């Protein structure tokens, strides 16, 4: 937060956190069932999820392994399973404790001198999938998909987008509620920040006000600020910028509510 007492407009922001309803295991399992129906329709035998927000959408887990493969496999028939590095197994169990799949989910681990892609192939084989079509989620790294194709020449790798987007692109009432709440919180923060602006402030000063505003409403958010001529560039500039009377200001970005983000740009003049 900015040094000293908060400006009155920021201090007056109410917490909105209690209005955010977490998604239940039942809601996520219903998404998985829809994915399985779409897999059957698209003749996809399983989908592989790695980065991005799809693991959160279906399983309430974030798979971040950097250069090491973490993967969530959801077969059209049979139980999901996870592949992760052996030294991450405890963390994987911890993540799955908050997942609708639970801590009994099968985890296939691999050591540094072993192939994670063979673990994927073995897990699919145990579920009766030795050939056919494996859907790859769009954010999976090319190096992972390519290595998997070499490890499983009998599998045809296809895009999982008909399944993942088929589930995600049409929002239900709960998802829309989260999006609207994120939008409402963002506009409240922007208004409070606008009312707290003073001549001589820099982008860094305003960024601190924005962070303080989101801390008050209770959601994780961010916004970039650009001033004067730099508002002509959608993503601004790193150049030092100072607010003066009559300055055009552009603030852009949003916050996240239960994984759903707002993205709002507003332009105004001091």
């Amino acid at each position: 937060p900015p040094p000293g007492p908060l400006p009155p407009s920021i201090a007056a922001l109410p917490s909105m956190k209690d209005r955010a309803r977490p998604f239940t295991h039942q809601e996520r399992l219903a998404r998985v069932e829809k994915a399985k129906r779409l897999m059957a329709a698209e003749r996809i035998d399983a989908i592989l999820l790695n980065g991005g927000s799809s693991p959160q959408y279906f399983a309430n887990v974030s798979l971040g392994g950097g250069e090491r493969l973490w993967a969530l496999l959801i077969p059209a028939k049979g139980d999901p399973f996870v592949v992760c590095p052996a030294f991450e197994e405890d963390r994987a169990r911890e993540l799955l404790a908050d997942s609708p799949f639970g801590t009994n989910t099968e985890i296939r681990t691999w050591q540094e001198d072993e192939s994670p892609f063979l673990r994927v192939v073995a897990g699919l084989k145990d579920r009766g999938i030795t050939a056919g079509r494996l859907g790859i989620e769009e954010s999976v790294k090319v190096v992972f998909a390519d290595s998997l194709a070499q490890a499983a020449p009998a599998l045809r790798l296809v895009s999982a987008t008909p399944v993942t987007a088929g589930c995600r692109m049409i929002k239900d009432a709960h998802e829309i509620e989260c999006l609207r709440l994120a939008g409402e919180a963002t506009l409240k923060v922007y208004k409070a920040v606008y009312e707290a602006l003073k001549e001589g402030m820099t982008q860094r000063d305003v960024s601190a006000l924005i962070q303080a505003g989101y801390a008050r409403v209770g959601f994780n958010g961010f916004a970039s600020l650009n001033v004067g001529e730099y508002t002509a560039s959608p993503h601004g500039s790193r150049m030092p910028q100072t607010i003066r009377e009559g300055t055009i200001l552009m603030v852009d970005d949003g916050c996240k509510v239960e994984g759903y983000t707002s993205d709002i740009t507003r332009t105004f003049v001091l």
Side-chain angles (χ1 to χ4, degrees):
L6 288 177
S9 60
I10 304 287
L13 284 167
S15 174
M16 301 168 71
K17 205 170 178 62
D18 61 346
R19 291 172 55 192
R21 292 191 301 125
F23 288 84
T24 64
H25 289 346
Q26 288 74 20
E27 286 175 290
R28 293 190 201 276
L29 289 172
R31 296 168 176 179
V32 172
E33 287 309 310
K34 182 174 182 182
K36 290 186 172 194
R37 291 195 298 274
L38 289 169
M39 280 187 244
E42 296 286 336
R43 301 192 328 282
I44 291 175
D45 298 284
I47 58 173
L48 182 146
L49 311 176
N50 166 235
S53 47
S54 282
Q56 193 76 40
Y57 177 83
F58 289 109
N60 196 33
V61 294
S62 293
L63 304 181
E67 74 279 12
R68 294 178 175 88
L69 181 75
W70 278 69
L72 169 63
L73 281 292
I74 301 176
K77 297 174 183 170
D79 294 328
F81 67 99
V82 169
V83 172
C84 76
F87 72 89
E88 295 273 39
E89 184 174 359
D90 287 347
R91 186 160 76 94
R93 292 259 173 241
E94 197 174 88
L95 291 171
L96 287 165
D98 292 326
S99 164
F101 303 149
T103 50
N104 291 330
T105 305
E106 184 184 12
I107 298 175
R108 298 203 171 215
T109 63
W110 54 280
Q111 298 291 349
E112 294 289 287
D113 59 347
E114 295 175 325
S115 166
F117 310 103
L118 293 177
R119 294 289 188 273
V120 172
V121 174
L124 292 171
K125 185 178 179 183
D126 285 354
R127 286 155 179 78
I129 303 167
T130 53
R133 287 152 55 93
L134 174 62
I136 304 296
E137 204 266 348
E138 63 190 54
S139 65
V140 174
K141 292 179 180 178
V142 170
V143 66
F144 290 160
D146 188 55
S147 300
L148 188 55
Q150 292 179 44
L155 286 174
R156 183 176 167 213
L157 272 54
V158 299
S159 170
T161 298
V163 178
T164 53
C167 289
R168 292 180 57 182
M169 66 197 292
I170 300 171
K171 307 297 184 201
D172 65 22
H174 190 175
E175 292 176 292
I176 292 168
E177 180 186 303
C178 291
L179 289 165
R180 286 188 171 143
L181 185 55
E184 183 187 337
T186 295
L187 291 175
K188 276 190 164 72
V189 168
Y190 283 7
K191 183 172 187 289
V193 167
Y194 172 73
E195 290 170 356
L197 293 177
K198 289 184 168 58
E199 274 203 295
M201 284 184 174
T202 65
Q203 313 109 294
R204 185 170 292 181
D205 297 327
V206 178
S207 290
L209 290 175
I210 290 164
Q211 290 303 309
Y214 278 126
R216 294 289 302 169
V217 298
F219 300 130
N220 186 25
F222 167 81
S224 63
L225 174 90
N226 283 285
V227 176
E229 66 190 274
Y230 299 108
T231 60
S233 174
H235 295 115
S237 168
R238 293 180 298 178
M239 296 297 289
Q241 300 164 41
T242 305
I243 297 169
R244 304 286 177 215
E245 178 72 24
T247 300
I248 296 173
L249 301 119
M250 181 176 73
V251 64
D252 173 24
D253 226 297
C255 68
K256 192 172 278 195
V257 174
E258 297 297 324
Y260 290 79
T261 54
S262 58
D263 186 354
I264 299 173
T265 305
R266 288 291 182 268
T267 306
F268 42 81
V269 178
L270 183 70

